[in-house]
Amino acid sequence: MTNNRNQGKVLTLVVLISGSGSNLQSIIDAIAAGTVNARIAAVISNRTDAYGLERAANAGIETIVEPHQQYSDRKQYDQVLARHVDSFSPELIILAGFMRILSPWFVTRYSGKILNIHPSLLPKYKGTNTHQRVIDAGETEHGASVHLVTEQLDGGPIVIQARVPVERDDDVESLRKKVLEQEHLIYPEAIKLFAQGRVRTE
Ligand code: GAR
């Protein structure tokens, strides 16, 4: 935090995860290094076994687990989620491998204030299993995108993208690794742009 003192206002983030949290880690590290002028107020997971919860705890960040199974409909869960989010008054919500579709209600409530990272060169390969689909289609290029979240699944305005070549001997695992490496660079960069007021929809 001390590194950020001279860079103006610190952006407050809440990060939503479901799994490993390697993107979360890249954001934690970028903040610690002083390259992103932000503070993670809380990490919220819909899964109790998400390794990202450990990463957050190790960094001294408050964690909340809110399993979705006990809620019968999406909006009901999202209302509970919003109560957690609002208790930290974040200026930006970061979806970092949060594997749930958010309701239109939630997305509208935080319009222009939710970023997501997706493992493809959007608008290509929305949805799941992107690496396998890229291989099956014989693509020579793949990548990752950070975008603002709208009601269109994986369809919001793109903030930043990174490309990787698809080699003949690539499989799902090697592609996943290559793409993740790029994700860890572009997600902190996108948050930095947002913190600098350089991300807006027109
Ligand atoms: C990342 O590859 C991210 O792009 C993807 O989940 C992974 C999470 O990894 N997200 C999606 O597919 C969202 N549709 P992480 O938990 O190690 O950050």
Side-chain angles (χ1 to χ4, degrees), residues 17-25 52 55 95-100 116-120 127-131 144-145 147 153-154 176 179-180 183-184 187:
I17 62 164
S18 300
S20 156
S22 69
N23 277 289
L24 164 69
Q25 189 68 56
R55 297 183 192 266
L95 308 184
F98 186 63
M99 302 308 276
R100 277 185 61 81
N116 181 42
I117 191 152
H118 183 76
S120 81
T128 55
N129 295 323
T130 58
H131 309 312
S145 310
H147 66 94
L153 181 67
D154 299 327
R176 198 182 68 83
V179 170
L180 260 182
E183 292 187 29
H184 299 161
Y187 219 173

Side-chain angles (χ1 to χ4, degrees), residues 20 22 119 129-135 142 164-167 169-181 183:
S20 156
S22 69
N129 295 323
T130 58
H131 309 312
Q132 185 63 61
R133 286 156 60 209
V134 160
I135 291 169
H142 185 28
V164 300
V166 181
E167 316 285 355
D169 59 351
D170 267 323
D171 56 17
V172 167
E173 207 33 53
S174 66
L175 271 189
R176 198 182 68 83
K177 195 159 169 275
K178 277 202 266 191
V179 170
L180 260 182
E181 270 172 25
E183 292 187 29

Side-chain angles (χ1 to χ4, degrees), residues 7 10 16 32 49 67 77 84 86 125 141 150 159 178:
Q7 298 170 22
V10 177
L16 272 49
D49 59 353
Y77 178 80
H84 290 309
D86 289 348
Y125 303 103
E141 201 176 48
T150 63
V159 177
K178 277 202 266 191

Side-chain angles (χ1 to χ4, degrees), residues 6-78:
N6 298 323
Q7 298 170 22
K9 195 174 167 300
V10 177
L11 191 77
T12 301
L13 314 175
V14 166
V15 182
L16 272 49
I17 62 164
S18 300
S20 156
S22 69
N23 277 289
L24 164 69
Q25 189 68 56
S26 74
I27 298 164
I28 291 171
D29 293 346
I31 291 172
T35 48
V36 175
N37 194 20
R39 176 182 79 92
I40 302 175
V43 169
I44 305 176
S45 173
N46 65 318
R47 295 184 54 115
T48 48
D49 59 353
Y51 180 62
L53 289 167
E54 267 181 58
R55 297 183 192 266
N58 289 340
I61 299 167
E62 184 169 346
T63 58
I64 294 174
V65 179
E66 191 60 68
H68 56 270
Q69 289 86 350
Q70 54 203 358
Y71 298 95
S72 53
D73 77 276
R74 196 171 292 281
K75 184 174 170 191
Q76 205 184 13
Y77 178 80
D78 284 0

